[in-house]
Amino acid sequence: HCARHSPTWLLIHPTGEHLSCLTMSKILMPRDSLEHGGKQGQEIDIGGRILQISQCGSAVSRSKSDNQILCIVVRTSQYCSVIRAKATMNATTESETCSIEFQLREETRI
């Protein structure tokens, strides 16, 4: 079960040539195995150069399903995007390893 493993640290960061895309990645610690690290999440285009990324509210952990859901506000020069970020931890019983799947979805622009 993934809850028995050390905590997972996630980084939400701008990417792309003009820093207009948002990506969520797992931070690998020195003791982490590279072969069991999380894949980089999908990249979503915000539509403008990202100036600021902030978490709104607190993280919601779904302990039964090993999901973590964050509300993120991304500011550009023209608007703010509200993003739903979800990290799902998947355990494999035969090899006792965990993998992480990332999902980013733009909810609205304000």
Side-chain angles (χ1 to χ4, degrees):
H1 193 268
C2 290
R4 289 186 227 135
H5 294 274
S6 58
T8 298
W9 294 88
L10 302 173
L11 178 67
I12 298 173
H13 54 97
T15 56
E17 185 177 336
H18 302 288
L19 299 178
S20 62
C21 295
L22 191 69
T23 301
M24 183 165 52
S25 304
K26 178 182 177 187
I27 298 174
L28 293 176
M29 300 298 176
R31 66 184 173 273
D32 290 339
S33 170
L34 290 175
E35 65 187 49
H36 301 303
K39 297 181 285 187
Q40 184 150 324
Q42 94 270 14
E43 188 175 85
I44 61 169
D45 191 354
I46 301 300
R49 184 179 181 92
I50 295 172
L51 302 175
Q52 182 179 4
I53 301 170
S54 296
Q55 180 178 335
C56 52
S58 61
V60 176
S61 180
R62 309 266 189 237
S63 58
K64 285 186 179 181
S65 61
D66 287 324
N67 292 342
Q68 181 121 12
I69 301 169
L70 300 172
C71 175
I72 305 295
V73 175
V74 179
R75 184 174 65 88
T76 70
S77 62
Q78 298 178 357
Y79 51 84
C80 291
S81 291
V82 178
I83 307 294
R84 180 177 183 231
K86 180 179 176 184
T88 304
M89 295 174 220
N90 303 306
T92 57
T93 53
E94 59 275 354
S95 61
E96 295 185 10
T97 60
C98 288
S99 64
I100 299 178
E101 181 182 322
F102 305 113
Q103 296 174 339
L104 296 170
R105 185 176 74 207
E106 185 175 30
E107 297 289 328
T108 189
R109 290 184 180 178
I110 46 178

